[in-house]
Amino acid sequence: MSAYFPTMGLEIHAELLTNSKVFCTCSAEFGGEPNSRCCPVCSGLPGTLPVLNRRAVEYIIKAGYVMNCDISRFTKWDRKNYFYPDLPKAYQISQMPRPVCLDGHVDIKVNGEDKVIRINRIHLEEDAGKLVHDDVNRISLADYNRCGIPLIEIVTEPDFHSADEVIAFFEKIKLLLQYAGICDCKMEQGSIRCDVNISIAPKGSNELGTRTELKNLNSLKAIAKAIEIEIDRQEELLDNGEKVIQQTRRFNEAAGETVAMRSKEDAHDYRYFPDPDIPPIIFTEEELDDIRASLPEMPEQRVARYVEKYGVNVKDADTIVGDKRVCDFFDEAAQDSSNPKAVANYLVGEFMRRVNLGELDLDNIKFSGKQFAQLVEYLYGDKLSQANAKVVLGEMAENGGDPKAIADEKDLWIKEDNDLLAEVVDEIIANNPKPVEQYKNGDQKVFGFFMGQANKALKGAASPKAIQDYIRKKLSE
């Protein structure tokens, strides 16, 4: 067991889902040919003036509301003077003393326990471009397409003491931003990424240790692994009588180590000063009320609705809202179902099983929620067996299509052949005298054995209810 106690704080950077950049009309869409989405404004050419994107301001206010922040009625923008090789202006337009959002909190659950994480601030700034390093020719190339994308930075208090807490919080933030409709949170595209400040101190100490900052972690796996490796590195230094140096470090995932990028003093001199080209904003109460009212239904509200309106259990409801794509699909299916609880059961079970196996792509589902609801209705209405419902769903997942048409084509409907049912069940009971005796002696578990044998033999020629009723009748004789 370690003799040290880790303490961590996060800086989460999330790109906003606006159509254009934060200070110009260039497209904010991901990708494109290098430097094809640039203009004189975001390229920082002399004589150009930035114009603030109103939608970006609305989005950061929404972010503040979903994270329980106080919204500043007065806010302004500052120039952060620092050498950015991927920002052609050589400064970044950001916010320092007057951010839009302050003093928030987000509730998380970690290993079954509730925890409150405090939000220090959320501010709006412009994203930097991207450097492409060519190690062979020893040159670096700049792609400024991302330069000027509206970005919010969520700064927490140092309230984390384990990687599990960090991951739980990061996942919660992703959910909140996605449901609020302000960030797609595609980590593989860099639209949300994380810096982690880490320090360790001897257990029982009242003082924090010297911190290091891990920059630009862009996957949950990388965040968890980098934290673990950096804590081990700091522990080893202290155990050897050495000191931890305040540094900015990067995580080399391939090598499994953190590497120093630059040393960091206690206070950076970024030479902030108010941007003279962007006037301050004073928000009215009416404007803020309108923005708050425009927020869509958030995860906790959806869970409550599913439990109260549809009778879904809390665990399944939590699973459904855990991915907005799944949640939106369920909402569509539930609207067209007479039994939304059954839809939820089959979604959490068979649907998600196929997602986890890679058979269903949540970004490209080839059937509608209405069609899924129809399939569930056929299954729970004893028109399709469990096995044949899976066959239909597999065809829908691969090629799309209507469940009724698929069942018709493949002749999968339950036919309720009572003569065949009696013949099959009578034979199963006659060939299994020992389980029959167990059942008559009160062992109800063996009933499942008879059901399984009958379903396997009948292959959809009788409904589960008809099979169940006939088996009980025969066993009671």
Side-chain angles (χ1 to χ4, degrees):
M1 183 175 291
S2 174
Y4 302 98
F5 185 67
T7 300
M8 289 167 278
L10 304 185
E11 298 169 14
I12 296 176
H13 301 84
E15 292 181 347
L16 301 180
L17 272 176
T18 55
N19 293 325
S20 58
K21 294 184 179 182
V22 65
F23 298 120
C24 68
T25 58
C26 289
S27 171
E29 185 180 357
F30 175 77
E33 289 295 319
N35 298 307
S36 63
R37 293 174 180 165
C38 302
C39 71
V41 176
C42 59
S43 299
L45 297 185
T48 58
L49 292 174
V51 178
L52 183 60
N53 186 325
R54 180 186 181 91
R55 184 60 56 84
V57 178
E58 292 175 359
Y59 280 0
I60 187 175
I61 293 172
K62 285 186 176 183
Y65 279 133
V66 300
M67 296 179 211
N68 305 294
C69 292
D70 294 331
I71 308 300
S72 301
R73 270 48 178 179
F74 172 84
T75 190
K76 67 182 185 67
W77 275 261
D78 303 279
R79 290 187 180 182
K80 181 180 180 183
N81 288 271
Y82 182 69
F83 178 66
Y84 287 95
D86 42 8
L87 270 174
K89 297 192 302 291
Y91 64 82
Q92 181 187 43
I93 300 176
S94 181
Q95 294 185 297
M96 182 55 183
R98 288 281 187 169
V100 177
C101 311
L102 290 164
D103 299 329
H105 71 271
V106 171
D107 301 327
I108 61 172
K109 189 178 287 289
V110 187
N111 301 322
E113 296 185 3
D114 295 324
K115 186 178 176 69
V116 178
I117 303 298
R118 295 170 296 159
I119 305 291
N120 176 282
R121 60 189 279 137
I122 308 174
H123 61 262
L124 178 65
E125 59 189 23
E126 59 183 334
D127 205 350
K130 180 180 179 181
L131 294 180
V132 180
H133 303 291
D134 183 342
D135 293 332
V136 175
N137 295 309
R138 300 180 64 81
I139 60 173
S140 293
L141 304 175
D143 178 5
Y144 292 134
N145 278 350
R146 196 175 68 180
C147 173
I149 300 291
L151 185 80
I152 58 172
E153 182 171 344
I154 304 161
V155 182
T156 76
E157 299 291 354
D159 288 345
F160 304 92
H161 303 291
S162 71
D164 286 346
E165 292 177 355
V166 170
I167 296 300
F169 177 79
F170 194 84
E171 289 184 318
K172 182 67 175 286
I173 292 298
K174 284 177 62 182
L175 270 188
L176 293 175
L177 295 177
Q178 287 173 327
Y179 276 88
I182 60 181
C183 179
D184 60 22
C185 297
K186 294 180 178 179
M187 299 188 74
E188 70 280 5
Q189 295 183 2
S191 63
I192 186 168
R193 48 203 191 266
C194 184
D195 300 343
V196 185
N197 293 286
I198 304 177
S199 70
I200 64 172
K203 289 183 177 177
S205 173
N206 293 324
E207 295 184 3
L208 296 177
T210 302
R211 67 180 173 88
T212 59
E213 181 181 25
L214 298 177
K215 294 288 289 184
N216 290 330
L217 301 171
N218 58 5
S219 75
L220 295 175
K221 179 182 176 182
I223 292 170
K225 193 64 177 177
I227 289 172
E228 174 188 333
I229 289 172
E230 178 59 17
I231 289 174
D232 288 344
R233 186 190 73 86
Q234 292 189 23
E235 287 183 354
E236 184 176 353
L237 286 173
L238 297 182
D239 285 343
N240 292 334
E242 301 178 57
K243 291 183 178 181
V244 175
I245 301 172
Q246 185 169 341
Q247 291 175 321
T248 298
R249 304 179 68 85
R250 64 178 177 86
F251 176 49
N252 185 329
E253 193 165 3
E257 62 182 2
T258 66
V259 181
M261 296 171 62
R262 59 179 181 267
S263 62
K264 200 164 186 177
E265 302 298 330
D266 288 337
H268 258 309
D269 182 14
Y270 284 124
R271 292 180 293 124
Y272 282 100
F273 66 88
D275 193 295
D277 297 327
I278 307 175
I281 295 178
I282 299 175
F283 299 112
T284 67
E285 297 303 320
E286 182 180 13
E287 288 172 328
L288 296 180
D289 288 343
D290 287 344
I291 293 172
R292 184 198 287 269
S294 70
L295 278 169
E297 192 179 33
M298 299 305 288
E300 291 83 357
Q301 296 168 311
R302 293 203 188 192
V303 168
R305 175 163 61 87
Y306 298 159
V307 172
E308 294 168 10
K309 183 177 179 181
Y310 299 148
V312 180
N313 66 59
V314 174
K315 183 178 179 182
D316 285 351
D318 283 336
T319 299
I320 291 170
V321 302
D323 189 307
K324 189 174 183 295
R325 297 167 297 178
V326 173
C327 195
D328 289 344
F329 183 82
F330 172 69
D331 268 344
E332 181 190 351
Q335 287 177 1
D336 291 294
S337 172
S338 59
N339 191 350
K341 183 177 180 180
V343 172
N345 290 340
Y346 206 58
L347 183 85
V348 171
E350 186 61 21
F351 181 94
M352 290 306 299
R353 184 183 75 84
R354 291 176 183 271
V355 170
N356 294 333
L357 289 173
E359 297 175 11
L360 265 174
D361 179 4
L362 291 175
D363 291 320
N364 185 29
I365 301 174
K366 296 181 179 179
F367 52 92
S368 68
K370 182 176 182 178
Q371 290 172 328
F372 183 76
Q374 288 174 340
L375 173 62
V376 174
E377 185 175 327
Y378 296 147
L379 172 62
Y380 281 77
D382 287 337
K383 294 181 179 179
L384 283 173
S385 67
Q386 284 278 359
N388 286 348
K390 290 180 180 179
V391 172
V392 174
L393 181 59
E395 178 67 22
M396 291 167 65
E398 186 173 352
N399 300 312
D402 178 75
K404 182 179 184 304
I406 294 170
D408 286 341
E409 181 185 350
K410 296 181 178 291
D411 192 23
L412 299 175
W413 299 110
I414 291 174
K415 298 176 181 61
E416 298 293 6
D417 188 335
N418 293 328
D419 292 338
L420 181 61
L421 168 61
E423 178 185 338
V424 167
V425 172
D426 288 351
E427 183 179 352
I428 292 171
I429 289 176
N431 292 337
N432 293 279
K434 185 175 179 180
V436 171
E437 189 66 27
Q438 287 176 269
Y439 179 82
K440 291 185 175 181
N441 289 332
D443 186 358
Q444 297 291 320
K445 293 180 180 178
V446 297
F447 188 83
F449 163 77
F450 292 111
M451 282 294 296
Q453 292 293 308
N455 279 321
K456 183 178 179 181
L458 287 164
K459 298 179 180 178
S463 68
K465 186 177 187 306
I467 297 171
Q468 185 181 70
D469 290 345
Y470 190 78
I471 292 174
R472 288 194 188 281
K473 174 186 173 185
K474 293 299 292 184
L475 289 175
S476 64
E477 292 178 352

